[in-house]
Amino acid sequence: MRKPNPKAIPKDLVSILRRPPLPRFRSRLHDERTATLIGTALGVAFAAAFVTGLISHVLQHPPSWLAHHLPTRPSWGYRFTQGLHVASGTAAIPLLLAKLWTVYPRLFAWPPLKSVAHALERLSILVLVAGAIFELVTGLLNSAQWYVWGNQFPFIQTHYRVAWITVGALVVHLGVKAPAIARGYRNPKKELPQAQVRDVEERRDGVSRRAFIATTAVAAGTVTVATVGQSVDSLRPVSVLSPRDIGVGELGVPVNRTAGQAGITEAAVTADWRLQVDGGTRQLSLSRQELAALPQTSATLPIACVEGWSVDAHWQGVRISDLMDMAGIPHDADVRVVSMEENGAYAVMVMEREYVRDPAALLALRLNGQTLTLDHGYPARIIVPNRPGVLQTKWVRRMEAIV
Ligand SMILES: Nc1nc2c(c(=O)[nH]1)N[C@H]1C(S)=C(S)[C@@H](COP(=O)(O)O)O[C@H]1N2
Ligand SMILES: [Mo]
């Protein structure tokens, strides 16, 4: 037998020297399988939010190369993509929290950096986590119309760019973690003999993986169902957390920005309001009475706000295409719409010819069977199929061909 060497450093001391007294985590819920299963649900929610976000973004800010290829149908297209965008983002919040809890012990992995590749991987995770949190927090605050960032940064552009960065980091993450994900999908129980499975199960204590995943799923389902009623009529009664109750509002439609907030006064619209139509072969100047005397068209079209709420409504007014014909504006002209609003973000709007010429695109005078109220855009407002609420300009004063 060899004598123990008194000068030898005990093994556990070596490990203490190498690894500072970082916390150790024993819950088996910090394992690859839990991370993979929750990560999959989170990945699906993020993919849905990203794709629908891109579609919604293009519909609101069409790049010039796409501007004339946007479909005006189905009329509920934007309502659907933006509703799904907000719903999947909402569902992602509890999923992200569960996922972060599952993997956070890795923050304390030792050594912190093993190689250049490992450093890059950790950096990509930093970007991924920061980006994901940023997107979900800003999206949630925006859907609640709580613009805490004021003028610090523009929400739309920032939310859009950070989405690309986050998805880039996600792709790197999926690539790096592919082997771990493959292991995570393998059900270890299936590979063990029956007796050993029982043995493993008996030794288990604490929360089971199944219970943890079920709880996460219930949390994600609950917050989603409790908010999605702002765009899904049938879920309105259970939508106790939605920022908007779409059943409440003048003429059965919520108002996002009131006339008062937009600086539109009753006096300003009733005095001698006339609609100007410029840029064609005939210049038009029509009073509300004259507009109401023109052939009227009806359409059932949703108002779908970027913030996630949406509601179908019945509109009546003058077909925009008819107005343009009256003014001698050619079919291939895009149209600029100018509101009486002096300097809001939505005071001026551009309508590509595809929307201008859609037979359901209206200069609406009536909403749900009644004259528009001032808050809904009286004397006249735009309503067009498959466009974001922000482009449904209220208090229209002038329409002009863009030449
Ligand atoms: N001129 C003008 N039009 C506007 C707005 C505005 O602020 N100014 N808000 C838009 C937004 S964000 C939405 S969602 C719809 C809402 O229409 P509603 O208030 O009739 O429901 O109007 C749009 N039209
Ligand atoms: Mo909106």
PDB file of all heavy atoms in Angstrom, residues 124-154:
ATOM      1  N   SER A 124     -23.467  35.589 -27.781  1.00  0.00           N
ATOM      2  CA  SER A 124     -24.713  35.485 -28.553  1.00  0.00           C
ATOM      3  C   SER A 124     -25.900  35.271 -27.616  1.00  0.00           C
ATOM      4  O   SER A 124     -26.997  35.755 -27.864  1.00  0.00           O
ATOM      5  CB  SER A 124     -24.622  34.364 -29.596  1.00  0.00           C
ATOM      6  OG  SER A 124     -24.815  33.104 -28.994  1.00  0.00           O
ATOM      7  N   ILE A 125     -25.667  34.559 -26.505  1.00  0.00           N
ATOM      8  CA  ILE A 125     -26.759  34.351 -25.554  1.00  0.00           C
ATOM      9  C   ILE A 125     -27.098  35.654 -24.838  1.00  0.00           C
ATOM     10  O   ILE A 125     -28.270  35.968 -24.616  1.00  0.00           O
ATOM     11  CB  ILE A 125     -26.401  33.229 -24.557  1.00  0.00           C
ATOM     12  CG1 ILE A 125     -26.430  31.903 -25.312  1.00  0.00           C
ATOM     13  CG2 ILE A 125     -27.366  33.211 -23.372  1.00  0.00           C
ATOM     14  CD1 ILE A 125     -26.078  30.709 -24.503  1.00  0.00           C
ATOM     15  N   LEU A 126     -26.063  36.445 -24.556  1.00  0.00           N
ATOM     16  CA  LEU A 126     -26.313  37.754 -23.930  1.00  0.00           C
ATOM     17  C   LEU A 126     -27.202  38.596 -24.851  1.00  0.00           C
ATOM     18  O   LEU A 126     -28.191  39.199 -24.433  1.00  0.00           O
ATOM     19  CB  LEU A 126     -24.981  38.456 -23.671  1.00  0.00           C
ATOM     20  CG  LEU A 126     -25.088  39.834 -23.017  1.00  0.00           C
ATOM     21  CD1 LEU A 126     -25.526  39.696 -21.571  1.00  0.00           C
ATOM     22  CD2 LEU A 126     -23.769  40.585 -23.111  1.00  0.00           C
ATOM     23  N   VAL A 127     -26.851  38.620 -26.143  1.00  0.00           N
ATOM     24  CA  VAL A 127     -27.630  39.391 -27.114  1.00  0.00           C
ATOM     25  C   VAL A 127     -29.048  38.832 -27.197  1.00  0.00           C
ATOM     26  O   VAL A 127     -30.040  39.577 -27.207  1.00  0.00           O
ATOM     27  CB  VAL A 127     -26.946  39.345 -28.506  1.00  0.00           C
ATOM     28  CG1 VAL A 127     -27.831  39.993 -29.561  1.00  0.00           C
ATOM     29  CG2 VAL A 127     -25.589  40.025 -28.447  1.00  0.00           C
ATOM     30  N   LEU A 128     -29.146  37.508 -27.231  1.00  0.00           N
ATOM     31  CA  LEU A 128     -30.459  36.860 -27.355  1.00  0.00           C
ATOM     32  C   LEU A 128     -31.362  37.199 -26.157  1.00  0.00           C
ATOM     33  O   LEU A 128     -32.517  37.599 -26.333  1.00  0.00           O
ATOM     34  CB  LEU A 128     -30.270  35.343 -27.458  1.00  0.00           C
ATOM     35  CG  LEU A 128     -31.520  34.479 -27.524  1.00  0.00           C
ATOM     36  CD1 LEU A 128     -32.396  34.874 -28.701  1.00  0.00           C
ATOM     37  CD2 LEU A 128     -31.139  33.006 -27.630  1.00  0.00           C
ATOM     38  N   VAL A 129     -30.817  37.056 -24.973  1.00  0.00           N
ATOM     39  CA  VAL A 129     -31.635  37.291 -23.777  1.00  0.00           C
ATOM     40  C   VAL A 129     -32.017  38.772 -23.675  1.00  0.00           C
ATOM     41  O   VAL A 129     -33.180  39.120 -23.448  1.00  0.00           O
ATOM     42  CB  VAL A 129     -30.885  36.830 -22.509  1.00  0.00           C
ATOM     43  CG1 VAL A 129     -31.635  37.252 -21.245  1.00  0.00           C
ATOM     44  CG2 VAL A 129     -30.694  35.316 -22.531  1.00  0.00           C
ATOM     45  N   ALA A 130     -31.028  39.651 -23.901  1.00  0.00           N
ATOM     46  CA  ALA A 130     -31.320  41.086 -23.811  1.00  0.00           C
ATOM     47  C   ALA A 130     -32.347  41.478 -24.869  1.00  0.00           C
ATOM     48  O   ALA A 130     -33.307  42.207 -24.594  1.00  0.00           O
ATOM     49  CB  ALA A 130     -30.033  41.895 -23.981  1.00  0.00           C
ATOM     50  N   GLY A 131     -32.171  40.974 -26.079  1.00  0.00           N
ATOM     51  CA  GLY A 131     -33.100  41.303 -27.176  1.00  0.00           C
ATOM     52  C   GLY A 131     -34.493  40.786 -26.893  1.00  0.00           C
ATOM     53  O   GLY A 131     -35.485  41.498 -27.087  1.00  0.00           O
ATOM     54  N   ALA A 132     -34.577  39.545 -26.415  1.00  0.00           N
ATOM     55  CA  ALA A 132     -35.894  38.950 -26.151  1.00  0.00           C
ATOM     56  C   ALA A 132     -36.620  39.736 -25.066  1.00  0.00           C
ATOM     57  O   ALA A 132     -37.806  40.065 -25.200  1.00  0.00           O
ATOM     58  CB  ALA A 132     -35.727  37.486 -25.749  1.00  0.00           C
ATOM     59  N   ILE A 133     -35.905  40.079 -24.005  1.00  0.00           N
ATOM     60  CA  ILE A 133     -36.548  40.833 -22.924  1.00  0.00           C
ATOM     61  C   ILE A 133     -36.981  42.203 -23.441  1.00  0.00           C
ATOM     62  O   ILE A 133     -38.102  42.654 -23.207  1.00  0.00           O
ATOM     63  CB  ILE A 133     -35.593  40.975 -21.708  1.00  0.00           C
ATOM     64  CG1 ILE A 133     -35.376  39.597 -21.066  1.00  0.00           C
ATOM     65  CG2 ILE A 133     -36.149  41.974 -20.689  1.00  0.00           C
ATOM     66  CD1 ILE A 133     -34.353  39.582 -19.950  1.00  0.00           C
ATOM     67  N   PHE A 134     -36.117  42.846 -24.214  1.00  0.00           N
ATOM     68  CA  PHE A 134     -36.450  44.168 -24.746  1.00  0.00           C
ATOM     69  C   PHE A 134     -37.708  44.112 -25.610  1.00  0.00           C
ATOM     70  O   PHE A 134     -38.620  44.939 -25.476  1.00  0.00           O
ATOM     71  CB  PHE A 134     -35.274  44.717 -25.561  1.00  0.00           C
ATOM     72  CG  PHE A 134     -35.538  46.078 -26.130  1.00  0.00           C
ATOM     73  CD1 PHE A 134     -35.271  47.216 -25.388  1.00  0.00           C
ATOM     74  CD2 PHE A 134     -36.079  46.227 -27.406  1.00  0.00           C
ATOM     75  CE1 PHE A 134     -35.540  48.482 -25.909  1.00  0.00           C
ATOM     76  CE2 PHE A 134     -36.355  47.487 -27.924  1.00  0.00           C
ATOM     77  CZ  PHE A 134     -36.075  48.611 -27.168  1.00  0.00           C
ATOM     78  N   GLU A 135     -37.781  43.124 -26.490  1.00  0.00           N
ATOM     79  CA  GLU A 135     -38.928  43.028 -27.400  1.00  0.00           C
ATOM     80  C   GLU A 135     -40.222  42.790 -26.633  1.00  0.00           C
ATOM     81  O   GLU A 135     -41.242  43.411 -26.914  1.00  0.00           O
ATOM     82  CB  GLU A 135     -38.717  41.886 -28.417  1.00  0.00           C
ATOM     83  CG  GLU A 135     -37.659  42.167 -29.452  1.00  0.00           C
ATOM     84  CD  GLU A 135     -37.958  43.383 -30.302  1.00  0.00           C
ATOM     85  OE1 GLU A 135     -37.544  44.476 -29.892  1.00  0.00           O
ATOM     86  OE2 GLU A 135     -38.604  43.274 -31.354  1.00  0.00           O
ATOM     87  N   LEU A 136     -40.174  41.880 -25.670  1.00  0.00           N
ATOM     88  CA  LEU A 136     -41.408  41.553 -24.956  1.00  0.00           C
ATOM     89  C   LEU A 136     -41.847  42.702 -24.061  1.00  0.00           C
ATOM     90  O   LEU A 136     -43.037  43.010 -23.968  1.00  0.00           O
ATOM     91  CB  LEU A 136     -41.231  40.267 -24.151  1.00  0.00           C
ATOM     92  CG  LEU A 136     -40.977  39.012 -25.004  1.00  0.00           C
ATOM     93  CD1 LEU A 136     -40.938  37.759 -24.144  1.00  0.00           C
ATOM     94  CD2 LEU A 136     -42.025  38.857 -26.097  1.00  0.00           C
ATOM     95  N   VAL A 137     -40.877  43.363 -23.423  1.00  0.00           N
ATOM     96  CA  VAL A 137     -41.259  44.459 -22.525  1.00  0.00           C
ATOM     97  C   VAL A 137     -41.791  45.649 -23.326  1.00  0.00           C
ATOM     98  O   VAL A 137     -42.858  46.188 -23.034  1.00  0.00           O
ATOM     99  CB  VAL A 137     -40.064  44.880 -21.628  1.00  0.00           C
ATOM    100  CG1 VAL A 137     -40.361  46.182 -20.901  1.00  0.00           C
ATOM    101  CG2 VAL A 137     -39.749  43.770 -20.632  1.00  0.00           C
ATOM    102  N   THR A 138     -41.083  46.048 -24.389  1.00  0.00           N
ATOM    103  CA  THR A 138     -41.561  47.211 -25.154  1.00  0.00           C
ATOM    104  C   THR A 138     -42.888  46.881 -25.841  1.00  0.00           C
ATOM    105  O   THR A 138     -43.782  47.718 -25.900  1.00  0.00           O
ATOM    106  CB  THR A 138     -40.537  47.682 -26.216  1.00  0.00           C
ATOM    107  OG1 THR A 138     -40.189  46.571 -27.051  1.00  0.00           O
ATOM    108  CG2 THR A 138     -39.307  48.270 -25.577  1.00  0.00           C
ATOM    109  N   GLY A 139     -43.021  45.642 -26.333  1.00  0.00           N
ATOM    110  CA  GLY A 139     -44.277  45.254 -26.983  1.00  0.00           C
ATOM    111  C   GLY A 139     -45.436  45.295 -26.004  1.00  0.00           C
ATOM    112  O   GLY A 139     -46.509  45.822 -26.305  1.00  0.00           O
ATOM    113  N   LEU A 140     -45.203  44.759 -24.811  1.00  0.00           N
ATOM    114  CA  LEU A 140     -46.276  44.732 -23.801  1.00  0.00           C
ATOM    115  C   LEU A 140     -46.671  46.165 -23.417  1.00  0.00           C
ATOM    116  O   LEU A 140     -47.852  46.501 -23.358  1.00  0.00           O
ATOM    117  CB  LEU A 140     -45.799  43.964 -22.562  1.00  0.00           C
ATOM    118  CG  LEU A 140     -46.826  43.861 -21.440  1.00  0.00           C
ATOM    119  CD1 LEU A 140     -47.946  42.908 -21.841  1.00  0.00           C
ATOM    120  CD2 LEU A 140     -46.179  43.396 -20.146  1.00  0.00           C
ATOM    121  N   LEU A 141     -45.665  47.012 -23.179  1.00  0.00           N
ATOM    122  CA  LEU A 141     -45.972  48.392 -22.787  1.00  0.00           C
ATOM    123  C   LEU A 141     -46.701  49.114 -23.911  1.00  0.00           C
ATOM    124  O   LEU A 141     -47.640  49.872 -23.683  1.00  0.00           O
ATOM    125  CB  LEU A 141     -44.683  49.137 -22.424  1.00  0.00           C
ATOM    126  CG  LEU A 141     -43.993  48.649 -21.149  1.00  0.00           C
ATOM    127  CD1 LEU A 141     -42.705  49.420 -20.907  1.00  0.00           C
ATOM    128  CD2 LEU A 141     -44.916  48.792 -19.949  1.00  0.00           C
ATOM    129  N   ASN A 142     -46.283  48.843 -25.148  1.00  0.00           N
ATOM    130  CA  ASN A 142     -46.942  49.506 -26.269  1.00  0.00           C
ATOM    131  C   ASN A 142     -48.390  49.063 -26.395  1.00  0.00           C
ATOM    132  O   ASN A 142     -49.279  49.878 -26.648  1.00  0.00           O
ATOM    133  CB  ASN A 142     -46.179  49.194 -27.552  1.00  0.00           C
ATOM    134  CG  ASN A 142     -46.733  49.966 -28.731  1.00  0.00           C
ATOM    135  OD1 ASN A 142     -47.682  49.529 -29.367  1.00  0.00           O
ATOM    136  ND2 ASN A 142     -46.173  51.121 -28.999  1.00  0.00           N
ATOM    137  N   SER A 143     -48.647  47.760 -26.195  1.00  0.00           N
ATOM    138  CA  SER A 143     -50.027  47.289 -26.330  1.00  0.00           C
ATOM    139  C   SER A 143     -50.891  47.880 -25.222  1.00  0.00           C
ATOM    140  O   SER A 143     -52.101  47.976 -25.352  1.00  0.00           O
ATOM    141  CB  SER A 143     -50.091  45.763 -26.336  1.00  0.00           C
ATOM    142  OG  SER A 143     -49.848  45.259 -25.045  1.00  0.00           O
ATOM    143  N   ALA A 144     -50.250  48.302 -24.125  1.00  0.00           N
ATOM    144  CA  ALA A 144     -50.999  48.951 -23.058  1.00  0.00           C
ATOM    145  C   ALA A 144     -50.972  50.470 -23.221  1.00  0.00           C
ATOM    146  O   ALA A 144     -51.403  51.202 -22.337  1.00  0.00           O
ATOM    147  CB  ALA A 144     -50.423  48.562 -21.697  1.00  0.00           C
ATOM    148  N   GLN A 145     -50.428  50.935 -24.364  1.00  0.00           N
ATOM    149  CA  GLN A 145     -50.318  52.378 -24.651  1.00  0.00           C
ATOM    150  C   GLN A 145     -49.570  53.114 -23.564  1.00  0.00           C
ATOM    151  O   GLN A 145     -49.880  54.253 -23.248  1.00  0.00           O
ATOM    152  CB  GLN A 145     -51.706  52.995 -24.785  1.00  0.00           C
ATOM    153  CG  GLN A 145     -52.305  52.814 -26.143  1.00  0.00           C
ATOM    154  CD  GLN A 145     -53.417  53.805 -26.368  1.00  0.00           C
ATOM    155  OE1 GLN A 145     -54.335  53.896 -25.579  1.00  0.00           O
ATOM    156  NE2 GLN A 145     -53.339  54.551 -27.455  1.00  0.00           N
ATOM    157  N   TRP A 146     -48.580  52.462 -22.990  1.00  0.00           N
ATOM    158  CA  TRP A 146     -47.826  53.072 -21.910  1.00  0.00           C
ATOM    159  C   TRP A 146     -46.425  53.364 -22.440  1.00  0.00           C
ATOM    160  O   TRP A 146     -45.532  52.539 -22.321  1.00  0.00           O
ATOM    161  CB  TRP A 146     -47.785  52.138 -20.701  1.00  0.00           C
ATOM    162  CG  TRP A 146     -47.235  52.783 -19.467  1.00  0.00           C
ATOM    163  CD1 TRP A 146     -47.075  54.109 -19.229  1.00  0.00           C
ATOM    164  CD2 TRP A 146     -46.767  52.119 -18.289  1.00  0.00           C
ATOM    165  NE1 TRP A 146     -46.552  54.321 -17.988  1.00  0.00           N
ATOM    166  CE2 TRP A 146     -46.350  53.127 -17.392  1.00  0.00           C
ATOM    167  CE3 TRP A 146     -46.658  50.783 -17.903  1.00  0.00           C
ATOM    168  CZ2 TRP A 146     -45.828  52.819 -16.133  1.00  0.00           C
ATOM    169  CZ3 TRP A 146     -46.149  50.485 -16.659  1.00  0.00           C
ATOM    170  CH2 TRP A 146     -45.748  51.492 -15.780  1.00  0.00           C
ATOM    171  N   TYR A 147     -46.289  54.525 -23.047  1.00  0.00           N
ATOM    172  CA  TYR A 147     -45.049  54.853 -23.728  1.00  0.00           C
ATOM    173  C   TYR A 147     -44.037  55.428 -22.757  1.00  0.00           C
ATOM    174  O   TYR A 147     -43.711  56.619 -22.811  1.00  0.00           O
ATOM    175  CB  TYR A 147     -45.312  55.820 -24.878  1.00  0.00           C
ATOM    176  CG  TYR A 147     -46.200  55.220 -25.940  1.00  0.00           C
ATOM    177  CD1 TYR A 147     -47.575  55.416 -25.935  1.00  0.00           C
ATOM    178  CD2 TYR A 147     -45.651  54.441 -26.953  1.00  0.00           C
ATOM    179  CE1 TYR A 147     -48.375  54.855 -26.914  1.00  0.00           C
ATOM    180  CE2 TYR A 147     -46.454  53.876 -27.927  1.00  0.00           C
ATOM    181  CZ  TYR A 147     -47.817  54.092 -27.901  1.00  0.00           C
ATOM    182  OH  TYR A 147     -48.607  53.543 -28.864  1.00  0.00           O
ATOM    183  N   VAL A 148     -43.540  54.587 -21.853  1.00  0.00           N
ATOM    184  CA  VAL A 148     -42.637  55.086 -20.812  1.00  0.00           C
ATOM    185  C   VAL A 148     -41.344  55.658 -21.378  1.00  0.00           C
ATOM    186  O   VAL A 148     -40.686  56.449 -20.713  1.00  0.00           O
ATOM    187  CB  VAL A 148     -42.274  53.986 -19.793  1.00  0.00           C
ATOM    188  CG1 VAL A 148     -43.400  53.769 -18.819  1.00  0.00           C
ATOM    189  CG2 VAL A 148     -41.875  52.706 -20.484  1.00  0.00           C
ATOM    190  N   TRP A 149     -40.982  55.248 -22.602  1.00  0.00           N
ATOM    191  CA  TRP A 149     -39.705  55.702 -23.149  1.00  0.00           C
ATOM    192  C   TRP A 149     -39.812  57.111 -23.746  1.00  0.00           C
ATOM    193  O   TRP A 149     -38.805  57.690 -24.144  1.00  0.00           O
ATOM    194  CB  TRP A 149     -39.187  54.733 -24.214  1.00  0.00           C
ATOM    195  CG  TRP A 149     -40.255  54.313 -25.161  1.00  0.00           C
ATOM    196  CD1 TRP A 149     -40.663  54.986 -26.268  1.00  0.00           C
ATOM    197  CD2 TRP A 149     -41.076  53.159 -25.064  1.00  0.00           C
ATOM    198  NE1 TRP A 149     -41.692  54.315 -26.861  1.00  0.00           N
ATOM    199  CE2 TRP A 149     -41.970  53.183 -26.152  1.00  0.00           C
ATOM    200  CE3 TRP A 149     -41.135  52.087 -24.164  1.00  0.00           C
ATOM    201  CZ2 TRP A 149     -42.925  52.195 -26.350  1.00  0.00           C
ATOM    202  CZ3 TRP A 149     -42.081  51.107 -24.379  1.00  0.00           C
ATOM    203  CH2 TRP A 149     -42.957  51.171 -25.461  1.00  0.00           C
ATOM    204  N   GLY A 150     -41.037  57.668 -23.766  1.00  0.00           N
ATOM    205  CA  GLY A 150     -41.196  59.040 -24.250  1.00  0.00           C
ATOM    206  C   GLY A 150     -40.513  59.244 -25.578  1.00  0.00           C
ATOM    207  O   GLY A 150     -40.752  58.506 -26.530  1.00  0.00           O
ATOM    208  N   ASN A 151     -39.647  60.246 -25.633  1.00  0.00           N
ATOM    209  CA  ASN A 151     -38.943  60.525 -26.888  1.00  0.00           C
ATOM    210  C   ASN A 151     -37.523  59.962 -26.869  1.00  0.00           C
ATOM    211  O   ASN A 151     -36.706  60.314 -27.713  1.00  0.00           O
ATOM    212  CB  ASN A 151     -38.881  62.038 -27.135  1.00  0.00           C
ATOM    213  CG  ASN A 151     -40.285  62.604 -27.319  1.00  0.00           C
ATOM    214  OD1 ASN A 151     -41.155  61.927 -27.873  1.00  0.00           O
ATOM    215  ND2 ASN A 151     -40.498  63.815 -26.846  1.00  0.00           N
ATOM    216  N   GLN A 152     -37.242  59.074 -25.900  1.00  0.00           N
ATOM    217  CA  GLN A 152     -35.891  58.513 -25.809  1.00  0.00           C
ATOM    218  C   GLN A 152     -35.525  57.741 -27.057  1.00  0.00           C
ATOM    219  O   GLN A 152     -34.415  57.799 -27.551  1.00  0.00           O
ATOM    220  CB  GLN A 152     -35.768  57.581 -24.597  1.00  0.00           C
ATOM    221  CG  GLN A 152     -35.986  58.254 -23.261  1.00  0.00           C
ATOM    222  CD  GLN A 152     -35.012  59.391 -23.038  1.00  0.00           C
ATOM    223  OE1 GLN A 152     -33.816  59.208 -23.166  1.00  0.00           O
ATOM    224  NE2 GLN A 152     -35.524  60.580 -22.753  1.00  0.00           N
ATOM    225  N   PHE A 153     -36.485  56.964 -27.561  1.00  0.00           N
ATOM    226  CA  PHE A 153     -36.240  56.257 -28.821  1.00  0.00           C
ATOM    227  C   PHE A 153     -37.585  56.009 -29.499  1.00  0.00           C
ATOM    228  O   PHE A 153     -38.616  55.923 -28.840  1.00  0.00           O
ATOM    229  CB  PHE A 153     -35.485  54.949 -28.595  1.00  0.00           C
ATOM    230  CG  PHE A 153     -36.194  53.963 -27.701  1.00  0.00           C
ATOM    231  CD1 PHE A 153     -37.149  53.090 -28.220  1.00  0.00           C
ATOM    232  CD2 PHE A 153     -35.901  53.889 -26.341  1.00  0.00           C
ATOM    233  CE1 PHE A 153     -37.780  52.169 -27.398  1.00  0.00           C
ATOM    234  CE2 PHE A 153     -36.534  52.977 -25.518  1.00  0.00           C
ATOM    235  CZ  PHE A 153     -37.478  52.116 -26.046  1.00  0.00           C
ATOM    236  N   PRO A 154     -37.567  55.909 -30.831  1.00  0.00           N
ATOM    237  CA  PRO A 154     -38.827  55.648 -31.537  1.00  0.00           C
ATOM    238  C   PRO A 154     -39.185  54.169 -31.400  1.00  0.00           C
ATOM    239  O   PRO A 154     -38.359  53.300 -31.700  1.00  0.00           O
ATOM    240  CB  PRO A 154     -38.497  56.003 -32.991  1.00  0.00           C
ATOM    241  CG  PRO A 154     -37.023  55.849 -33.116  1.00  0.00           C
ATOM    242  CD  PRO A 154     -36.420  56.040 -31.755  1.00  0.00           C
TER     243      PRO A 154
END
